[in-house]
Amino acid sequence: QQQQQQQRSAVPLRFVRAAKQDGENAQRAFDDTLAWRKQHSMDTILYQPAPHFHLIKQNYPHCFHLRSKFGEPVFYEKPAQGDIKTLLSTPGLTMDTLLLHYASICEFGWQCLERDDLAKSVTVFDLQNVKLSDFAGANLDFVRKASAFTSQHYPERVGHVHIIHVPSWFKLIWNILKGFVDDDILQKITVLRSEQEITEALKERIDINNIPPEYGGTSMPLGKSPEEELLQQLIEHNNNKNSSISSRIRANNNNNSNTKYNECKGKNCKFCTWKYARNY
């Protein structure tokens, strides 16, 4: 009994809050997360090569971009511009591969960029040019599965979510989707349509100097932030340590043919010596 109490005291506060202070449910959720992490080698995923990284980013745009006024990491995602079907037709790429890529992005955000275990983030979902058909098939399957594991295994990380550039018919879809979203999360979601209301809403949480020009701000463009540069360097480092992967990327990834592959400096390498913030 004393050992069980010690185990429960080790359950992170985020899981306790997500379970509405229910100790049994919090313990169960935490155990499930630890099992999921072990199953997918999450504690080493940021040390592993990612040969499809650039291809996935090109066909499903997503990136970190500076911070909010409250110090929260800001993440932009463009599911409407995603082409999951094309990615799944690529040899060696499966839905599980895509989900592991997304999990590695979450790990980079919470293990590297923001190491505070109680920190939250701001997410901007850009639905510009979304079609009704996008709410079906591979695109929907990916978004649904990615949302499910992030909610389950990264609880209490949502600071605010902006869903922007929604079409006029989105309200019908949203009224259905809301039924599957926790009330606490619903209160943190803002749905926006016009350019003016998008910029004004973003400015409430993010300084104009940290908003990308694509959304009326004055920062560097999306994909050019220091966070994304660091992520690119990490992927370059991991891929370059595997010479066969490095050669294949150079030969096949014409869009990134100018990428410089620097030699690892071993014990002086910031990526080799970098440590995870936590094992969950």
Side-chain angles (χ1 to χ4, degrees), residues 124-126 160-168 170-171 189-206 208 211 214-217:
V124 180
F125 283 102
D126 189 347
H160 200 83
V161 176
H162 295 284
I163 305 177
I164 66 174
H165 289 134
V166 299
S168 58
F170 180 77
K171 185 176 181 180
I189 297 177
T190 304
V191 179
L192 306 162
R193 187 176 181 187
S194 72
E195 296 293 342
Q196 181 177 353
E197 66 178 359
I198 290 171
T199 300
E200 291 303 315
L202 291 180
K203 284 167 58 179
E204 289 182 8
R205 298 194 70 89
I206 309 170
I208 191 71
I211 297 175
E214 294 92 327
Y215 303 110

Side-chain angles (χ1 to χ4, degrees), residues 55-62 77-90 93-99 101-102 134 136-146:
L55 181 64
I56 295 174
K57 292 271 280 187
Q58 289 164 9
N59 286 276
Y60 189 83
H62 53 283
E77 193 166 340
K78 298 183 176 183
Q81 296 182 26
D83 192 353
I84 301 299
K85 186 176 181 180
T86 294
L87 287 173
L88 293 178
S89 67
T90 303
L93 264 179
T94 65
M95 181 61 75
D96 286 342
T97 309
L98 297 179
L99 292 171
H101 165 88
Y102 199 82
D134 291 328
N139 277 15
L140 178 62
D141 191 33
F142 171 74
V143 171
R144 180 177 59 81
K145 290 179 177 178

Side-chain angles (χ1 to χ4, degrees), residues 7-193:
Q7 285 181 331
R8 285 173 181 162
S9 67
V11 175
L13 182 57
R14 287 189 291 109
F15 287 82
V16 176
R17 288 175 174 173
K20 306 293 192 295
Q21 310 300 319
D22 186 318
E24 294 288 343
N25 286 339
Q27 182 70 61
R28 189 178 302 111
F30 186 48
D31 289 344
D32 288 345
T33 290
L34 293 179
W36 172 79
R37 293 185 66 84
K38 182 177 180 180
Q39 177 185 356
H40 297 291
S41 302
M42 296 304 295
D43 289 344
T44 59
I45 197 169
L46 293 181
Y47 302 130
Q48 302 302 318
H52 298 109
F53 175 84
H54 295 292
L55 181 64
I56 295 174
K57 292 271 280 187
Q58 289 164 9
N59 286 276
Y60 189 83
H62 53 283
C63 60
F64 295 98
H65 195 88
L66 305 176
R67 301 265 178 159
S68 74
K69 293 179 179 179
F70 310 102
E72 304 153 314
V74 184
F75 188 71
Y76 292 80
E77 193 166 340
K78 298 183 176 183
Q81 296 182 26
D83 192 353
I84 301 299
K85 186 176 181 180
T86 294
L87 287 173
L88 293 178
S89 67
T90 303
L93 264 179
T94 65
M95 181 61 75
D96 286 342
T97 309
L98 297 179
L99 292 171
L100 277 178
H101 165 88
Y102 199 82
S104 72
I105 298 299
C106 294
E107 285 294 289
F108 178 75
W110 296 121
Q111 301 282 2
C112 184
L113 296 182
E114 178 52 77
R115 297 170 70 85
D116 184 346
D117 195 42
L118 297 181
K120 298 179 183 293
S121 66
V122 174
T123 300
V124 180
F125 283 102
D126 189 347
L127 297 185
Q128 190 164 37
N129 299 323
V130 69
K131 303 182 294 295
L132 191 57
S133 59
D134 291 328
F135 287 90
N139 277 15
L140 178 62
D141 191 33
F142 171 74
V143 171
R144 180 177 59 81
K145 290 179 177 178
S147 299
F149 82 71
T150 53
S151 175
Q152 180 178 0
H153 302 305
Y154 299 91
E156 293 293 306
R157 289 299 200 181
V158 177
H160 200 83
V161 176
H162 295 284
I163 305 177
I164 66 174
H165 289 134
V166 299
S168 58
W169 48 262
F170 180 77
K171 185 176 181 180
L172 299 175
I173 300 292
W174 183 234
N175 286 336
I176 297 174
L177 296 177
K178 284 194 299 185
F180 301 96
V181 181
D182 187 89
D183 287 341
D184 292 340
I185 300 297
L186 275 178
Q187 296 176 9
K188 301 177 181 180
I189 297 177
T190 304
V191 179
L192 306 162
R193 187 176 181 187

Side-chain angles (χ1 to χ4, degrees), residues 237 241 262-274:
H237 167 272
K241 289 189 71 174
N262 300 315
E263 292 186 5
C264 175
K265 298 178 181 179
K267 65 179 181 180
N268 295 320
C269 172
K270 64 182 178 181
F271 297 117
C272 287
T273 57
W274 174 83

